[in-house]
Amino acid sequence: MKRWAGMALLLAAMATAGCGGGDRPAPGPDAPRFDPAFLMNNDIWREQRQAELLQPDGWTSLIGLHWLELKAHYIGSGSTSGIRLAMGPPRLGMVVHEAGRYWFMPERGVAVQVDGKPVKGRIPFHADDEPSPTMITFDGGKGTLSLIHRGPRHALRVRHADAPARAHFGHLEYWPADASWRITARFVPHDAGKTLPVVDITGLTTEQANAGAIEFERDGRTWRLEALGEPGRPLFVIFADRTSGHGSYAAGRYIDLDTPDDKSQVVIDFNRAYNPPCAFTPFATCPLPPPENRLDLPVEAGEKTYVKPAQEDAT
């Protein structure tokens, strides 16, 4: 059905491009360009984008972010738990910080698994910046518990397939696809090892690898964005623009880029600018646009602000 829906959108766009009414002015040089292959690829990308958000472990499945402040925390949905989960068993287990490491001990009689194997006793609880992060599942696999490390602090990240943000998800809105916003940019490499300080939504500043900048032309001007990532690898851009808070998400948007080619060129497609996880959940730790990436330019392309449906707001 999604494939047919995508084809229907494509045909409608092509019809709009080729069948102007007698009272409709001829499209100007800045009008959206309706290339069939571009529109189809963009439609596929949008479907994949929404599918990823709605995965059982996608960003819309988050139900909690709990910072660990004590040496031991009892976890569960019951009123006697020190960390109160929005979903799950009344007593799930206990997290202990001991000798610089974290451990998890499940509550007796509660079904908990790691890598598909039942957990019966105390196990090491590895964070997301360690080689093999621990993913604890509960509620028959619907719920997951993981440990994240941000600066000097650790937190429990909790997901559940029945999360309200996922169960009552609305829909993503976009500006009309416009091939003029798919731009071949110049990649300007930085010196090896350069980093860029990036602040996240919790106020934490971290130094991110900053392989280089990209420069592109728009509206008769040259614009520049700093790109995050290692040299010779795909890049990541966090940016804000004049639509931020006025059509697009106020805290900025993200774009993924391929590795620059041997001519130091890379395509930046603003039609594929997307909202950070914080647009959908309060339980994420999203990095924010650095000052260098705040464009005095209205980027009327890509994903618009997500509006939560009434059902989600009521939960």
Side-chain angles (χ1 to χ4, degrees), residues 123-165:
I123 60 170
F125 201 175
H126 300 297
D128 60 345
D129 59 348
E130 297 184 60
S132 298
T134 305
M135 187 70 67
I136 298 166
T137 62
F138 59 93
D139 264 7
K142 286 188 174 183
T144 62
L145 186 71
S146 59
L147 184 67
I148 67 171
H149 186 196
R150 299 292 182 269
R153 300 195 295 170
H154 285 78
L156 296 179
R157 172 169 281 166
V158 192
R159 287 180 163 92
H160 201 285
D162 295 335

Side-chain angles (χ1 to χ4, degrees), residues 177-219:
D178 182 354
S180 75
W181 279 109
R182 189 177 189 273
I183 303 169
T184 299
R186 296 180 296 276
F187 175 69
V188 182
H190 291 321
D191 292 338
K194 184 181 182 302
T195 61
L196 184 70
V198 176
V199 181
D200 70 26
I201 204 165
T202 71
L204 176 69
T205 300
T206 58
E207 293 290 334
Q208 302 282 342
N210 180 202
I214 60 169
E215 295 180 345
F216 64 94
E217 310 297 326
R218 181 77 187 184
D219 296 343

Side-chain angles (χ1 to χ4, degrees), residues 13-234:
M14 292 174 66
T16 302
C19 300
D23 58 349
R24 182 180 301 170
D30 296 328
R33 304 173 187 176
F34 296 101
D35 174 70
F38 164 77
L39 290 172
M40 180 174 290
N41 288 334
N42 196 69
D43 188 52
I44 291 171
W45 179 86
R46 291 181 181 184
E47 290 184 3
Q48 291 173 339
R49 159 76 175 150
Q50 180 153 323
E52 289 174 1
L53 278 175
L54 294 176
Q55 288 289 322
D57 61 350
W59 287 115
T60 59
S61 71
L62 285 176
I63 60 169
L65 180 68
H66 305 278
W67 297 99
L68 301 177
E69 308 291 349
L70 306 176
K71 290 186 177 181
H73 295 267
Y74 283 101
I75 308 164
S77 62
S79 59
T80 60
S81 295
I83 289 180
R84 189 89 176 264
L85 302 184
M87 295 178 173
R91 294 288 290 269
L92 179 63
M94 181 171 64
V95 172
V96 177
H97 188 212
E98 182 178 285
R101 299 181 63 185
Y102 282 89
W103 304 82
F104 176 77
M105 172 74 76
E107 184 75 9
R108 183 175 298 178
V110 174
V112 172
Q113 294 187 331
V114 172
D115 296 330
K117 299 178 181 178
V119 177
K120 299 299 182 182
R122 192 169 87 155
I123 60 170
F125 201 175
H126 300 297
D128 60 345
D129 59 348
E130 297 184 60
S132 298
T134 305
M135 187 70 67
I136 298 166
T137 62
F138 59 93
D139 264 7
K142 286 188 174 183
T144 62
L145 186 71
S146 59
L147 184 67
I148 67 171
H149 186 196
R150 299 292 182 269
R153 300 195 295 170
H154 285 78
L156 296 179
R157 172 169 281 166
V158 192
R159 287 180 163 92
H160 201 285
D162 295 335
R166 180 171 183 261
H168 303 297
F169 188 79
H171 64 279
L172 300 176
E173 293 188 3
Y174 296 86
W175 272 277
D178 182 354
S180 75
W181 279 109
R182 189 177 189 273
I183 303 169
T184 299
R186 296 180 296 276
F187 175 69
V188 182
H190 291 321
D191 292 338
K194 184 181 182 302
T195 61
L196 184 70
V198 176
V199 181
D200 70 26
I201 204 165
T202 71
L204 176 69
T205 300
T206 58
E207 293 290 334
Q208 302 282 342
N210 180 202
I214 60 169
E215 295 180 345
F216 64 94
E217 310 297 326
R218 181 77 187 184
D219 296 343
R221 287 185 56 183
T222 298
W223 306 90
R224 182 182 174 100
L225 290 168
E226 294 295 330
L228 303 179
E230 301 287 348
R233 304 288 297 275

